[in-house]
Each structure stands twice: as C-alpha cells, then as structure tokens.
Amino acid sequence: EVGAATIGPAPVPAVPEAVPELDRFLGIDEPTPGTDSGDPPNQATDHPWASSQFWIIQLFVLALYLIRLAATVDFHLSATSLMLELSTFVLFVVPVVYASLHYGFTGAMLTSGWVTLLAVPRLLVALGNRQFEAAWAEVTQVVVLDALALLIGQHVSAERGAQMQTETTRKAHLSAEALYRDLFDSNQAPILIVDGNGYVVEANASAQRAFGPAAQALAPGNAGPVDRTPDAPVRLVDMIGAEAAAQILTRLISQQVPGSGTDADASLSD
C-alpha cells in the first residue's frame, strides 16, 4: 500500500504547458509513416485500396490470367487437361495469400473476389461445352482460394487489431505516467510518497530541497515508486519527526479498506 503525504501548504499546480511537447517526445501524436513509405497497419487493413502496392497485386493477378489465356489459345490446350484444370489454384494462390497477409480481411476478400470474377468466363465456357469435370474443378479451386483468403485475412486482422489496442494502451499509460511525473515534480509543496510500513519511497523536488540528503536519496533517478533501496530505507519518522509522522500515517491507515492487512505500527516505534 502506498500513500502520498503533502508536507506544508499544497498549492494546486497548473497543468504544464509542455504536455504537447511531451506527447511528441513519446510519439503519441505523431502519425505512423504514411503511404509513401508503407501504409500504416490500420489503413493497410481497413483501406487497402489506398496503397499502390495493393493495386500492383491486382494487376499481377490480371497479368497471370491473360498469360494463361494466351497460352491456352496459342498452344490449343484443352480445358479438360490437367494443367488447365489445376491452373487457377496454382497461379493465384500466391497473390491471394500475399494480399491476405499484408492487407488483412479486406484485402484478402477483394483479391479473392477478383480471382473469382476472372474465373467466371472459364466456368461459363466449360458449362457451355458440357465439360462438367472442368467446371467442377474450377469451382472447387475458387472455393478453396476464397476459404484460404477468409481464414488468413481474419487471422491477420485480429492480430493487428490486438496489436493496435496494446499500443494504444501503452501510449495512454506512458502519457498518464509522464503527466503525473511532471505534476509531481513541479508541485511547489514538498510531497513524500510513503508505503504502509512508514518508509518513504519517493520525494518530489520540493521535498528534496526541504529535507536535504535524506530526501535527495529518494529522487526518481535513485529510486522508483516501488523500487525503494532495501539497504538504506528512509523512515518518515526520521525525516519529519515522530509527531507529524504519526498524524500522517494514522490518516493513511484510516483510509485503507478494512481487512487490507496494512500494518504501520512498526514504523512509529523508536
């Protein structure tokens, strides 16, 4: 249990004007690099069409389709040949998987939908020529590609959503911690942070000036809020006197939840 004790008058500090600079230092208000050097993760997954690389993938899919069509005409390949029956999956699995991994669910569905659209003419030709085996092969490959894109795209989008949530939480925590630290250090009143056993774990700049070396040893550079050096603990009673320490610790104990197990009697001995 940790409590804060304010020694002397405690004027309310103004909110520092340097918070925007602090946010920029932490990288909170800086946008993620734009589309010129790569899309931000959220924009890449939610709006893949904003990326030029996404359109290159779609053109690559179209190029593969045209190459297959030209090869079929030039070499007079039969639609029922094994090479053509399996060509849809073999040719388009790489761009579909690539789009799914880089652009998440939206990019995966758009790319697989584009592949599906390009497969329609082959399907209609096969049905028109009563080549049902080739038609079923085409439908099966398209369904497999769509299912693969769906699974990979959903997984990637979920992973990136969790990463974004974690990063947002981390930045909010850093911002709140930095704001607290600035308010704590800039307060003109001496402030001591005291644990439930009566040991001072941290002191602000005013307390360091007021109480001298004993408080200076608790500066943020020497000890953190929960990293009190066990070799040389500083007791509140030794720093401000037994009477003032007793009043402060009694107030802190009275504010604890009953049954919390906080024991400060040892800190008032001697």
Side-chain angles (χ1 to χ4, degrees), residues 159-218:
E159 287 272 333
R160 290 184 177 176
Q163 290 177 0
M164 289 177 58
Q165 182 64 32
T166 301
E167 183 66 14
T168 300
T169 303
R170 186 187 70 85
K171 290 181 178 181
H173 174 75
L174 289 176
S175 180
E177 183 178 302
L179 181 60
Y180 158 78
R181 172 59 56 192
D182 195 84
L183 292 172
F184 178 77
D185 290 337
S186 64
N187 200 314
Q188 298 302 312
I191 299 178
L192 303 173
I193 297 181
V194 185
D195 66 12
N197 294 318
Y199 289 101
V200 181
V201 297
E202 193 172 0
N204 72 341
S206 298
Q208 295 167 33
R209 292 191 295 268
F211 299 109
Q216 292 172 3
L218 299 167

CSV table of all heavy atoms in Angstrom, one decimal, residues 159-218:
chain,number,residue,atom,x,y,z
A,159,GLU,N,-5.0,-10.2,-35.4
A,159,GLU,CA,-3.7,-9.9,-34.8
A,159,GLU,C,-3.4,-8.5,-34.8
A,159,GLU,O,-2.9,-7.9,-33.8
A,159,GLU,CB,-2.7,-10.7,-35.6
A,159,GLU,CG,-2.7,-12.2,-35.3
A,159,GLU,CD,-1.8,-12.6,-34.2
A,159,GLU,OE1,-0.9,-11.9,-33.9
A,159,GLU,OE2,-2.2,-13.7,-33.6
A,160,ARG,N,-3.6,-7.8,-35.9
A,160,ARG,CA,-3.3,-6.4,-35.9
A,160,ARG,C,-4.2,-5.5,-35.1
A,160,ARG,O,-3.7,-4.5,-34.5
A,160,ARG,CB,-3.4,-5.9,-37.4
A,160,ARG,CG,-2.3,-6.5,-38.3
A,160,ARG,CD,-2.3,-5.9,-39.7
A,160,ARG,NE,-1.2,-6.4,-40.5
A,160,ARG,CZ,-1.0,-6.2,-41.8
A,160,ARG,NH1,-1.8,-5.5,-42.4
A,160,ARG,NH2,0.1,-6.7,-42.4
A,161,GLY,N,-5.4,-5.9,-34.9
A,161,GLY,CA,-6.3,-5.2,-34.0
A,161,GLY,C,-5.9,-5.3,-32.6
A,161,GLY,O,-5.9,-4.3,-31.8
A,162,ALA,N,-5.4,-6.5,-32.2
A,162,ALA,CA,-4.9,-6.7,-30.8
A,162,ALA,C,-3.6,-5.9,-30.6
A,162,ALA,O,-3.4,-5.3,-29.6
A,162,ALA,CB,-4.6,-8.2,-30.6
A,163,GLN,N,-2.7,-5.8,-31.6
A,163,GLN,CA,-1.5,-5.1,-31.5
A,163,GLN,C,-1.8,-3.6,-31.4
A,163,GLN,O,-1.2,-2.9,-30.6
A,163,GLN,CB,-0.6,-5.3,-32.7
A,163,GLN,CG,0.0,-6.7,-32.8
A,163,GLN,CD,0.8,-7.0,-34.1
A,163,GLN,OE1,0.9,-6.1,-34.9
A,163,GLN,NE2,1.3,-8.1,-34.2
A,164,MET,N,-2.8,-3.1,-32.2
A,164,MET,CA,-3.1,-1.7,-32.1
A,164,MET,C,-3.7,-1.3,-30.7
A,164,MET,O,-3.4,-0.3,-30.2
A,164,MET,CB,-4.1,-1.3,-33.2
A,164,MET,CG,-3.6,-1.3,-34.6
A,164,MET,SD,-4.8,-1.0,-35.9
A,164,MET,CE,-5.4,0.6,-35.3
A,165,GLN,N,-4.5,-2.2,-30.2
A,165,GLN,CA,-5.1,-2.0,-28.9
A,165,GLN,C,-4.0,-2.0,-27.8
A,165,GLN,O,-4.0,-1.1,-26.9
A,165,GLN,CB,-6.1,-3.1,-28.5
A,165,GLN,CG,-6.8,-2.9,-27.2
A,165,GLN,CD,-7.7,-1.7,-27.2
A,165,GLN,OE1,-8.2,-1.2,-28.2
A,165,GLN,NE2,-7.8,-1.0,-26.0
A,166,THR,N,-3.1,-2.9,-27.9
A,166,THR,CA,-2.0,-2.9,-26.9
A,166,THR,C,-1.1,-1.6,-27.1
A,166,THR,O,-0.7,-1.0,-26.0
A,166,THR,CB,-1.1,-4.1,-27.2
A,166,THR,OG1,-1.9,-5.3,-27.1
A,166,THR,CG2,0.1,-4.2,-26.2
A,167,GLU,N,-0.9,-1.2,-28.3
A,167,GLU,CA,0.0,0.0,-28.5
A,167,GLU,C,-0.8,1.2,-28.0
A,167,GLU,O,-0.2,2.1,-27.4
A,167,GLU,CB,0.3,0.1,-30.0
A,167,GLU,CG,1.2,1.3,-30.3
A,167,GLU,CD,2.6,1.2,-29.7
A,167,GLU,OE1,3.0,0.0,-29.3
A,167,GLU,OE2,3.3,2.2,-29.7
A,168,THR,N,-2.1,1.3,-28.2
A,168,THR,CA,-2.9,2.4,-27.7
A,168,THR,C,-2.9,2.5,-26.2
A,168,THR,O,-2.7,3.6,-25.6
A,168,THR,CB,-4.3,2.4,-28.2
A,168,THR,OG1,-4.3,2.4,-29.7
A,168,THR,CG2,-5.1,3.5,-27.7
A,169,THR,N,-3.0,1.3,-25.6
A,169,THR,CA,-3.0,1.3,-24.1
A,169,THR,C,-1.6,1.7,-23.6
A,169,THR,O,-1.5,2.4,-22.6
A,169,THR,CB,-3.4,-0.1,-23.6
A,169,THR,OG1,-4.6,-0.5,-24.2
A,169,THR,CG2,-3.4,-0.2,-22.1
A,170,ARG,N,-0.6,1.2,-24.2
A,170,ARG,CA,0.8,1.5,-23.8
A,170,ARG,C,1.1,3.0,-23.9
A,170,ARG,O,1.6,3.6,-23.0
A,170,ARG,CB,1.8,0.8,-24.6
A,170,ARG,CG,3.3,1.0,-24.2
A,170,ARG,CD,4.2,0.3,-25.1
A,170,ARG,NE,4.3,1.1,-26.4
A,170,ARG,CZ,5.1,2.1,-26.6
A,170,ARG,NH1,5.8,2.6,-25.6
A,170,ARG,NH2,5.1,2.8,-27.7
A,171,LYS,N,0.6,3.6,-25.0
A,171,LYS,CA,0.9,5.1,-25.1
A,171,LYS,C,0.0,5.9,-24.1
A,171,LYS,O,0.5,6.9,-23.6
A,171,LYS,CB,0.5,5.5,-26.6
A,171,LYS,CG,1.5,5.0,-27.6
A,171,LYS,CD,1.1,5.5,-29.0
A,171,LYS,CE,2.1,5.0,-30.0
A,171,LYS,NZ,1.7,5.5,-31.4
A,172,ALA,N,-1.2,5.4,-23.9
A,172,ALA,CA,-2.0,6.1,-22.9
A,172,ALA,C,-1.4,6.0,-21.5
A,172,ALA,O,-1.4,7.0,-20.7
A,172,ALA,CB,-3.4,5.6,-22.8
A,173,HIS,N,-0.8,4.8,-21.2
A,173,HIS,CA,-0.1,4.7,-19.9
A,173,HIS,C,1.1,5.6,-19.8
A,173,HIS,O,1.3,6.2,-18.7
A,173,HIS,CB,0.2,3.2,-19.7
A,173,HIS,CG,1.1,2.9,-18.5
A,173,HIS,ND1,0.5,2.9,-17.2
A,173,HIS,CD2,2.4,2.7,-18.4
A,173,HIS,CE1,1.5,2.6,-16.4
A,173,HIS,NE2,2.6,2.5,-17.0
A,174,LEU,N,1.9,5.6,-20.9
A,174,LEU,CA,3.1,6.5,-20.8
A,174,LEU,C,2.7,7.9,-20.7
A,174,LEU,O,3.4,8.7,-20.0
A,174,LEU,CB,3.9,6.3,-22.1
A,174,LEU,CG,4.6,4.9,-22.3
A,174,LEU,CD1,5.3,4.8,-23.6
A,174,LEU,CD2,5.7,4.8,-21.2
A,175,SER,N,1.6,8.3,-21.4
A,175,SER,CA,1.2,9.7,-21.3
A,175,SER,C,0.7,10.1,-19.9
A,175,SER,O,1.1,11.1,-19.3
A,175,SER,CB,0.1,10.0,-22.3
A,175,SER,OG,-0.4,11.3,-22.2
A,176,ALA,N,-0.1,9.2,-19.3
A,176,ALA,CA,-0.5,9.4,-17.9
A,176,ALA,C,0.6,9.4,-16.9
A,176,ALA,O,0.7,10.3,-16.0
A,176,ALA,CB,-1.6,8.4,-17.5
A,177,GLU,N,1.5,8.5,-17.1
A,177,GLU,CA,2.7,8.4,-16.2
A,177,GLU,C,3.6,9.7,-16.3
A,177,GLU,O,4.0,10.2,-15.3
A,177,GLU,CB,3.5,7.2,-16.5
A,177,GLU,CG,4.7,6.9,-15.6
A,177,GLU,CD,5.4,5.7,-15.9
A,177,GLU,OE1,4.7,4.6,-15.9
A,177,GLU,OE2,6.6,5.7,-16.2
A,178,ALA,N,3.8,10.1,-17.5
A,178,ALA,CA,4.6,11.3,-17.7
A,178,ALA,C,3.9,12.6,-17.2
A,178,ALA,O,4.6,13.4,-16.6
A,178,ALA,CB,4.9,11.5,-19.2
A,179,LEU,N,2.6,12.7,-17.4
A,179,LEU,CA,1.9,13.8,-16.8
A,179,LEU,C,1.9,13.8,-15.3
A,179,LEU,O,2.1,14.8,-14.6
A,179,LEU,CB,0.4,13.8,-17.3
A,179,LEU,CG,-0.5,14.9,-16.8
A,179,LEU,CD1,0.1,16.3,-17.3
A,179,LEU,CD2,-1.9,14.7,-17.4
A,180,TYR,N,1.7,12.6,-14.7
A,180,TYR,CA,1.8,12.5,-13.2
A,180,TYR,C,3.2,12.9,-12.8
A,180,TYR,O,3.3,13.7,-11.8
A,180,TYR,CB,1.5,11.1,-12.8
A,180,TYR,CG,2.1,10.8,-11.4
A,180,TYR,CD1,1.5,11.2,-10.3
A,180,TYR,CD2,3.3,10.0,-11.3
A,180,TYR,CE1,2.0,10.9,-9.0
A,180,TYR,CE2,3.8,9.8,-10.1
A,180,TYR,CZ,3.2,10.2,-8.9
A,180,TYR,OH,3.7,10.0,-7.7
A,181,ARG,N,4.2,12.4,-13.5
A,181,ARG,CA,5.6,12.8,-13.0
A,181,ARG,C,5.8,14.2,-13.1
A,181,ARG,O,6.5,14.8,-12.2
A,181,ARG,CB,6.6,12.0,-13.9
A,181,ARG,CG,8.0,12.4,-13.7
A,181,ARG,CD,8.5,12.1,-12.4
A,181,ARG,NE,8.3,10.7,-11.9
A,181,ARG,CZ,8.4,10.3,-10.7
A,181,ARG,NH1,8.7,11.2,-9.7
A,181,ARG,NH2,8.1,9.1,-10.4
A,182,ASP,N,5.3,14.9,-14.2
A,182,ASP,CA,5.5,16.3,-14.3
A,182,ASP,C,4.8,17.1,-13.2
A,182,ASP,O,5.4,18.0,-12.6
A,182,ASP,CB,5.1,16.8,-15.7
A,182,ASP,CG,5.6,18.2,-16.1
A,182,ASP,OD1,6.7,18.2,-16.5
A,182,ASP,OD2,4.9,19.1,-15.8
A,183,LEU,N,3.6,16.7,-12.9
A,183,LEU,CA,2.8,17.3,-11.9
A,183,LEU,C,3.5,17.1,-10.5
A,183,LEU,O,3.5,18.0,-9.7
A,183,LEU,CB,1.4,16.8,-11.8
A,183,LEU,CG,0.5,17.2,-13.0
A,183,LEU,CD1,-0.8,16.5,-13.0
A,183,LEU,CD2,0.3,18.7,-13.1
A,184,PHE,N,3.9,15.9,-10.3
A,184,PHE,CA,4.6,15.6,-9.0
A,184,PHE,C,5.8,16.4,-8.8
A,184,PHE,O,6.1,16.9,-7.7
A,184,PHE,CB,4.9,14.1,-9.0
A,184,PHE,CG,5.6,13.6,-7.8
A,184,PHE,CD1,4.9,13.4,-6.6
A,184,PHE,CD2,6.9,13.3,-7.8
A,184,PHE,CE1,5.5,12.9,-5.5
A,184,PHE,CE2,7.6,12.8,-6.7
A,184,PHE,CZ,6.9,12.7,-5.5
A,185,ASP,N,6.7,16.5,-9.8
A,185,ASP,CA,8.0,17.2,-9.7
A,185,ASP,C,7.8,18.7,-9.7
A,185,ASP,O,8.6,19.4,-9.0
A,185,ASP,CB,8.9,16.8,-10.8
A,185,ASP,CG,9.4,15.3,-10.7
A,185,ASP,OD1,9.4,14.8,-9.5
A,185,ASP,OD2,9.8,14.7,-11.7
A,186,SER,N,6.8,19.2,-10.3
A,186,SER,CA,6.6,20.7,-10.4
A,186,SER,C,5.8,21.2,-9.3
A,186,SER,O,5.7,22.5,-9.2
A,186,SER,CB,6.0,21.0,-11.7
A,186,SER,OG,4.6,20.5,-11.8
A,187,ASN,N,5.3,20.4,-8.4
A,187,ASN,CA,4.5,20.9,-7.3
A,187,ASN,C,5.4,21.6,-6.3
A,187,ASN,O,6.5,21.1,-5.9
A,187,ASN,CB,3.8,19.7,-6.6
A,187,ASN,CG,2.6,20.2,-5.7
A,187,ASN,OD1,2.8,21.2,-5.0
A,187,ASN,ND2,1.5,19.5,-5.8
A,188,GLN,N,5.0,22.8,-5.9
A,188,GLN,CA,5.8,23.6,-5.0
A,188,GLN,C,5.8,23.2,-3.6
A,188,GLN,O,6.7,23.5,-2.8
A,188,GLN,CB,5.4,25.1,-5.1
A,188,GLN,CG,5.5,25.7,-6.5
A,188,GLN,CD,7.0,25.7,-7.0
A,188,GLN,OE1,7.9,26.0,-6.3
A,188,GLN,NE2,7.1,25.2,-8.2
A,189,ALA,N,4.8,22.3,-3.2
A,189,ALA,CA,4.8,21.8,-1.9
A,189,ALA,C,5.6,20.5,-1.8
A,189,ALA,O,5.6,19.7,-2.7
A,189,ALA,CB,3.3,21.5,-1.5
A,190,PRO,N,6.3,20.3,-0.7
A,190,PRO,CA,7.0,19.1,-0.5
A,190,PRO,C,6.1,17.9,-0.4
A,190,PRO,O,5.1,17.9,0.3
A,190,PRO,CB,7.8,19.3,0.8
A,190,PRO,CG,7.8,20.7,1.1
A,190,PRO,CD,6.5,21.3,0.4
A,191,ILE,N,6.3,16.9,-1.3
A,191,ILE,CA,5.5,15.7,-1.3
A,191,ILE,C,6.3,14.5,-1.1
A,191,ILE,O,7.4,14.3,-1.7
A,191,ILE,CB,4.7,15.6,-2.6
A,191,ILE,CG1,3.8,16.8,-2.8
A,191,ILE,CG2,3.9,14.3,-2.7
A,191,ILE,CD1,3.1,16.8,-4.2
A,192,LEU,N,5.9,13.6,-0.2
A,192,LEU,CA,6.6,12.4,0.1
A,192,LEU,C,5.6,11.2,-0.2
A,192,LEU,O,4.4,11.3,0.3
A,192,LEU,CB,7.0,12.3,1.6
A,192,LEU,CG,8.0,13.4,2.0
A,192,LEU,CD1,8.2,13.3,3.5
A,192,LEU,CD2,9.3,13.4,1.3
A,193,ILE,N,6.0,10.2,-0.9
A,193,ILE,CA,5.2,9.0,-1.1
A,193,ILE,C,5.6,8.0,-0.1
A,193,ILE,O,6.8,7.6,0.0
A,193,ILE,CB,5.3,8.5,-2.5
A,193,ILE,CG1,4.8,9.5,-3.5
A,193,ILE,CG2,4.6,7.2,-2.7
A,193,ILE,CD1,4.9,9.1,-4.9
A,194,VAL,N,4.7,7.5,0.8
A,194,VAL,CA,5.0,6.7,1.9
A,194,VAL,C,4.3,5.4,1.8
A,194,VAL,O,3.1,5.4,1.4
A,194,VAL,CB,4.6,7.4,3.2
A,194,VAL,CG1,5.0,6.5,4.5
A,194,VAL,CG2,5.2,8.8,3.3
A,195,ASP,N,4.9,4.2,2.0
A,195,ASP,CA,4.3,3.0,2.0
A,195,ASP,C,3.6,2.6,3.3
A,195,ASP,O,3.6,3.4,4.3
A,195,ASP,CB,5.2,1.8,1.6
A,195,ASP,CG,6.3,1.6,2.6
A,195,ASP,OD1,6.2,2.1,3.7
A,195,ASP,OD2,7.3,0.9,2.3
A,196,GLY,N,2.9,1.5,3.4
A,196,GLY,CA,2.1,1.2,4.6
A,196,GLY,C,2.9,0.9,5.8
A,196,GLY,O,2.4,0.8,6.9
A,197,ASN,N,4.2,0.7,5.6
A,197,ASN,CA,5.1,0.4,6.8
A,197,ASN,C,5.8,1.7,7.2
A,197,ASN,O,6.7,1.6,8.1
A,197,ASN,CB,6.1,-0.6,6.4
A,197,ASN,CG,5.5,-2.0,6.1
A,197,ASN,OD1,4.6,-2.4,6.9
A,197,ASN,ND2,5.9,-2.7,5.1
A,198,GLY,N,5.5,2.8,6.7
A,198,GLY,CA,6.1,4.1,7.2
A,198,GLY,C,7.4,4.4,6.5
A,198,GLY,O,8.1,5.3,7.0
A,199,TYR,N,7.8,3.8,5.4
A,199,TYR,CA,9.0,4.1,4.7
A,199,TYR,C,8.7,5.1,3.6
A,199,TYR,O,7.7,4.8,2.8
A,199,TYR,CB,9.7,2.9,4.2
A,199,TYR,CG,10.3,2.0,5.3
A,199,TYR,CD1,9.6,0.9,5.8
A,199,TYR,CD2,11.5,2.4,5.9
A,199,TYR,CE1,10.2,0.1,6.8
A,199,TYR,CE2,12.1,1.6,6.9
A,199,TYR,CZ,11.4,0.5,7.3
A,199,TYR,OH,11.9,-0.3,8.3
A,200,VAL,N,9.5,6.0,3.4
A,200,VAL,CA,9.4,7.0,2.3
A,200,VAL,C,10.0,6.3,1.0
A,200,VAL,O,11.2,6.0,1.0
A,200,VAL,CB,10.1,8.3,2.6
A,200,VAL,CG1,9.9,9.3,1.4
A,200,VAL,CG2,9.5,8.9,3.9
A,201,VAL,N,9.2,6.2,0.0
A,201,VAL,CA,9.7,5.5,-1.2
A,201,VAL,C,10.1,6.5,-2.3
A,201,VAL,O,10.8,6.2,-3.3
A,201,VAL,CB,8.7,4.5,-1.7
A,201,VAL,CG1,8.4,3.4,-0.8
A,201,VAL,CG2,7.3,5.2,-2.1
A,202,GLU,N,9.6,7.8,-2.2
A,202,GLU,CA,9.9,8.8,-3.2
A,202,GLU,C,9.6,10.2,-2.7
A,202,GLU,O,8.7,10.3,-1.8
A,202,GLU,CB,9.1,8.5,-4.5
A,202,GLU,CG,9.6,9.3,-5.7
A,202,GLU,CD,9.0,8.9,-7.0
A,202,GLU,OE1,8.1,8.0,-7.0
A,202,GLU,OE2,9.4,9.5,-8.0
A,203,ALA,N,10.3,11.1,-3.2
A,203,ALA,CA,10.1,12.5,-2.8
A,203,ALA,C,10.3,13.4,-4.0
A,203,ALA,O,11.1,13.2,-4.9
A,203,ALA,CB,11.2,12.9,-1.7
A,204,ASN,N,9.4,14.5,-4.0
A,204,ASN,CA,9.5,15.4,-5.2
A,204,ASN,C,10.6,16.4,-5.0
A,204,ASN,O,11.3,16.4,-3.9
A,204,ASN,CB,8.2,16.0,-5.5
A,204,ASN,CG,7.8,17.1,-4.4
A,204,ASN,OD1,8.4,17.1,-3.3
A,204,ASN,ND2,6.9,18.0,-4.7
A,205,ALA,N,10.8,17.3,-6.0
A,205,ALA,CA,11.9,18.2,-5.9
A,205,ALA,C,11.8,19.1,-4.7
A,205,ALA,O,12.8,19.4,-4.0
A,205,ALA,CB,12.0,19.0,-7.2
A,206,SER,N,10.6,19.6,-4.4
A,206,SER,CA,10.5,20.5,-3.2
A,206,SER,C,10.8,19.7,-1.9
A,206,SER,O,11.4,20.3,-1.0
A,206,SER,CB,9.0,21.0,-3.1
A,206,SER,OG,8.7,21.7,-4.3
A,207,ALA,N,10.4,18.5,-1.8
A,207,ALA,CA,10.8,17.7,-0.6
A,207,ALA,C,12.3,17.5,-0.5
A,207,ALA,O,12.8,17.5,0.6
A,207,ALA,CB,10.0,16.4,-0.6
A,208,GLN,N,12.9,17.3,-1.6
A,208,GLN,CA,14.3,17.1,-1.6
A,208,GLN,C,15.1,18.3,-1.1
A,208,GLN,O,16.0,18.3,-0.4
A,208,GLN,CB,14.8,16.7,-3.0
A,208,GLN,CG,14.3,15.4,-3.5
A,208,GLN,CD,14.5,15.2,-5.0
A,208,GLN,OE1,15.6,15.7,-5.5
A,208,GLN,NE2,13.6,14.5,-5.7
A,209,ARG,N,14.5,19.5,-1.5
A,209,ARG,CA,15.2,20.8,-1.0
A,209,ARG,C,14.8,21.0,0.4
A,209,ARG,O,15.7,21.5,1.2
A,209,ARG,CB,14.7,22.0,-1.9
A,209,ARG,CG,15.1,21.9,-3.3
A,209,ARG,CD,14.8,23.3,-4.0
A,209,ARG,NE,13.4,23.5,-4.1
A,209,ARG,CZ,12.7,23.1,-5.2
A,209,ARG,NH1,13.3,22.5,-6.2
A,209,ARG,NH2,11.4,23.3,-5.2
A,210,ALA,N,13.7,20.6,0.8
A,210,ALA,CA,13.2,20.9,2.2
A,210,ALA,C,13.9,20.0,3.2
A,210,ALA,O,14.3,20.4,4.3
A,210,ALA,CB,11.7,20.8,2.3
A,211,PHE,N,14.1,18.7,2.9
A,211,PHE,CA,14.6,17.7,3.8
A,211,PHE,C,16.0,17.3,3.6
A,211,PHE,O,16.5,16.4,4.3
A,211,PHE,CB,13.7,16.5,3.8
A,211,PHE,CG,12.2,16.8,4.2
A,211,PHE,CD1,11.2,16.8,3.3
A,211,PHE,CD2,11.9,17.2,5.5
A,211,PHE,CE1,9.9,17.1,3.6
A,211,PHE,CE2,10.6,17.5,5.9
A,211,PHE,CZ,9.6,17.4,4.9
A,212,GLY,N,16.6,17.8,2.6
A,212,GLY,CA,18.1,17.6,2.4
A,212,GLY,C,18.4,16.2,1.9
A,212,GLY,O,17.7,15.6,1.2
A,213,PRO,N,19.6,15.7,2.3
A,213,PRO,CA,20.2,14.5,1.7
A,213,PRO,C,19.3,13.3,1.9
A,213,PRO,O,19.2,12.4,1.0
A,213,PRO,CB,21.5,14.3,2.5
A,213,PRO,CG,21.8,15.6,3.0
A,213,PRO,CD,20.5,16.3,3.3
A,214,ALA,N,18.5,13.2,3.0
A,214,ALA,CA,17.6,12.0,3.3
A,214,ALA,C,16.6,11.9,2.1
A,214,ALA,O,16.3,10.8,1.7
A,214,ALA,CB,17.0,12.1,4.6
A,215,ALA,N,16.0,13.1,1.7
A,215,ALA,CA,15.0,13.0,0.6
A,215,ALA,C,15.7,13.0,-0.7
A,215,ALA,O,15.1,12.4,-1.7
A,215,ALA,CB,14.2,14.3,0.7
A,216,GLN,N,16.9,13.6,-0.9
A,216,GLN,CA,17.6,13.5,-2.2
A,216,GLN,C,17.9,12.1,-2.6
A,216,GLN,O,18.0,11.8,-3.8
A,216,GLN,CB,18.8,14.4,-2.1
A,216,GLN,CG,18.5,15.9,-2.0
A,216,GLN,CD,19.7,16.7,-1.8
A,216,GLN,OE1,20.9,16.2,-1.8
A,216,GLN,NE2,19.5,18.0,-1.6
A,217,ALA,N,18.1,11.2,-1.6
A,217,ALA,CA,18.4,9.8,-1.9
A,217,ALA,C,17.2,9.1,-2.5
A,217,ALA,O,17.4,8.1,-3.1
A,217,ALA,CB,18.8,9.1,-0.7
A,218,LEU,N,16.0,9.8,-2.4
A,218,LEU,CA,14.8,9.2,-3.0
A,218,LEU,C,14.4,9.8,-4.3
A,218,LEU,O,13.3,9.6,-4.7
A,218,LEU,CB,13.6,9.3,-1.9
A,218,LEU,CG,13.9,8.6,-0.6
A,218,LEU,CD1,12.9,9.0,0.4
A,218,LEU,CD2,13.9,7.1,-0.8
